[in-house]
Amino acid sequence: MEPADPTGAPPPHERPWWARLLPRNRGPGLRAKLRYGLLPGAFDLEHRAVLAGIKRYHKSEQGDRVNRYLLRRNTHRLEKGLLMRPRRDIFALDYIEATVDVFAQATRQASTGCSPEDLAATEAEWRWAHDVLEEYFRVTGSHPVIDRMRELFSALPFPFPDRRGSPKRPSPRGLEEPPVSFEQLAALARRRRSVRWYLPKPVDRELVDRAILLAAQAPSACNRQPFRFRVFDDPEKVAALAALPMGTAGFGHNIPMILAVVGRLRAYFSPRDRHLIYIDGSLATMGLMLALETLGLGSCALNWPDIRSREKKMARLLKLDPDERVVLLLSIGHPDPEGLVACSQKKTLDELRTYNE
């Protein structure tokens, strides 16, 4: 009998053929490359989505297309430069030209070729970029690149005549009391539990929209918000979606509404950022779940496994673009007061936290 491996690995005769070909002393790196790089594997769909997203990102930079993710990213970068202490007199030389160029494209689109619906959707974003650029050119010193961009920016038309409201640019944080106390927030967090039993009544879309607007306040890398909330309350579509994730057995039939958090890899120019759709989408979803709780609605986060057959079914059902990936699903409904929720004992502080280790 072969001695047990102290690492817990299976004995050689139980290892896959590709692993048996590799020397054990070569470490996991080569085995991982062979298993997940050279052979058909679990990451194929993610690889394709990342490449499709990068292609779409760069395609949006061509012609008169407005790369909104580039505009959002660079506007946020300018904001960070404006709030630095001490603030540099000259900064952003490596991206101010690209920022003004894409802003000029957005201005032309807003002035001439934008539908009323698109105009309403992008006005707040456009004003934010305008006000940050305006502040940037006000405070920066003289430099050939900045002077040229300052002149170009000042010549652009302002397509929104109504200038009411505070400028959308960095402002002091302030030390006023938070609107809720820690005790109130803690009570809300403890009250929120995964709800799997719902009353047979429709969910008010207005309540869900309010919760989504609150979720949008979550932080995201360079404020790109690379996700969409796809909400379904049609019974047939809800049933089809509820059957896909692993974990809905036994209660999926009573879900009145289901929401898919869909990440968009078109927000990024490099594969280095491929994980951000999951991070940013999850941050926003937590705010959404807490907001739903305050509105009398319950929810349950449904884990979405990266399994090829299920991914393909989901892509067909949601008509996903090649760069779109489902982050997770969320069931939503009015909690059944007689339905049980799990205790879900959480880890202790000592298990969760260390300092300076």
Side-chain angles (χ1 to χ4, degrees):
M1 178 181 293
E2 298 180 4
D5 190 315
T7 66
H13 69 277
E14 293 183 7
R15 297 175 191 136
W17 65 267
W18 54 267
R20 296 199 297 270
L21 295 177
L22 296 172
R24 294 299 306 278
N25 60 357
R26 292 300 298 274
L30 184 57
R31 290 196 294 273
K33 287 181 180 178
L34 180 58
R35 173 63 182 89
Y36 295 117
L38 301 180
L39 300 178
F43 303 127
D44 288 358
L45 295 178
E46 184 174 44
H47 293 166
R48 295 175 187 174
V50 170
L51 289 175
I54 293 172
K55 180 179 179 181
R56 185 155 182 166
Y57 179 95
H58 290 297
K59 187 176 181 180
S60 66
E61 294 179 311
Q62 301 171 4
D64 278 339
R65 295 184 180 94
V66 177
N67 187 331
R68 292 181 60 188
Y69 291 111
L70 173 62
L71 181 61
R72 294 184 68 85
R73 175 175 183 255
N74 283 2
T75 301
H76 187 68
R77 294 168 78 188
L78 289 175
E79 282 198 296
K80 290 192 290 185
L82 290 170
L83 57 83
M84 287 295 115
R85 296 195 302 182
R87 180 192 291 157
R88 289 178 293 165
D89 189 47
I90 302 294
F91 67 94
L93 293 178
D94 56 335
Y95 62 90
I96 187 59
E97 291 180 278
T99 308
V100 174
D101 182 58
V102 70
F103 179 78
Q105 291 175 340
T107 299
R108 288 192 294 270
Q109 186 182 80
S111 300
T112 59
C114 218
S115 69
E117 294 78 14
D118 289 341
L119 196 63
T122 59
E123 179 178 352
E125 180 178 293
W126 191 97
R127 287 177 180 271
W128 169 53
H130 172 274
D131 290 354
V132 171
L133 279 165
E134 186 177 60
E135 181 70 2
Y136 169 81
F137 288 122
R138 187 185 71 83
V139 303
T140 48
S142 179
H143 183 280
V145 173
I146 295 178
D147 292 343
R148 181 159 45 86
M149 291 299 102
R150 183 184 286 114
E151 183 177 356
L152 176 59
F153 174 76
S154 63
L156 293 174
F158 192 89
F160 304 106
D162 185 0
R163 295 296 303 272
R164 290 177 297 180
S166 302
K168 296 178 179 295
R169 58 186 183 226
S171 59
R173 171 62 176 82
L175 296 177
E176 65 276 6
E177 288 294 320
V180 297
S181 66
F182 172 81
E183 288 73 21
Q184 291 171 318
L185 180 60
L188 176 61
R190 286 190 292 267
R191 175 183 171 84
R192 189 222 61 81
R193 285 294 179 266
S194 296
V195 173
R196 293 176 172 85
W197 300 107
Y198 303 100
L199 296 175
K201 58 186 294 189
V203 178
D204 189 337
R205 291 183 176 182
E206 183 181 353
L207 295 179
V208 177
D209 287 349
R210 290 175 63 188
I212 289 174
L213 285 175
L214 185 141
Q217 299 302 314
S220 70
C222 284
N223 198 33
R224 281 170 285 192
Q225 297 185 294
F227 48 79
R228 296 192 74 194
F229 296 114
R230 302 277 301 275
V231 187
F232 298 88
D233 54 11
D234 176 86
E236 290 186 8
K237 293 182 178 179
V238 170
L241 279 169
L244 283 179
M246 300 169 69
T248 57
F251 78 96
H253 61 279
N254 93 129
I255 296 175
M257 175 182 280
I258 198 163
L259 178 151
V261 183
V262 178
R264 289 180 151 184
L265 286 158
R266 69 193 66 174
Y268 311 111
F269 60 88
S270 168
R272 72 186 190 191
D273 292 328
R274 65 188 181 277
H275 295 150
L276 292 180
I277 59 171
Y278 309 109
I279 297 169
D280 293 349
S282 298
L283 285 170
T285 302
M286 190 66 248
L288 173 63
M289 296 169 75
L290 290 174
L292 291 170
E293 192 71 31
T294 69
L295 297 170
L297 296 172
S299 64
C300 181
L302 308 174
N303 178 44
W304 178 240
D306 192 345
I307 298 175
R308 181 186 296 270
S309 60
R310 293 175 184 265
E311 289 274 5
K312 289 186 174 181
K313 289 179 181 178
M314 180 66 78
R316 288 194 297 268
L317 191 59
L318 296 186
K319 297 181 174 61
L320 296 179
D321 288 334
D323 71 304
E324 292 184 317
R325 301 276 290 167
V326 171
V327 177
L328 77 159
L329 291 94
L330 195 71
S331 65
I332 301 173
H334 294 274
D336 183 343
E338 302 300 322
L340 301 181
V341 295
C343 170
S344 295
Q345 178 62 45
K346 307 306 178 186
K347 291 183 178 180
T348 66
L349 178 61
D350 288 337
E351 290 179 288
L352 293 170
R353 179 267 296 124
T354 65
Y355 289 113
N356 300 322
E357 286 189 6

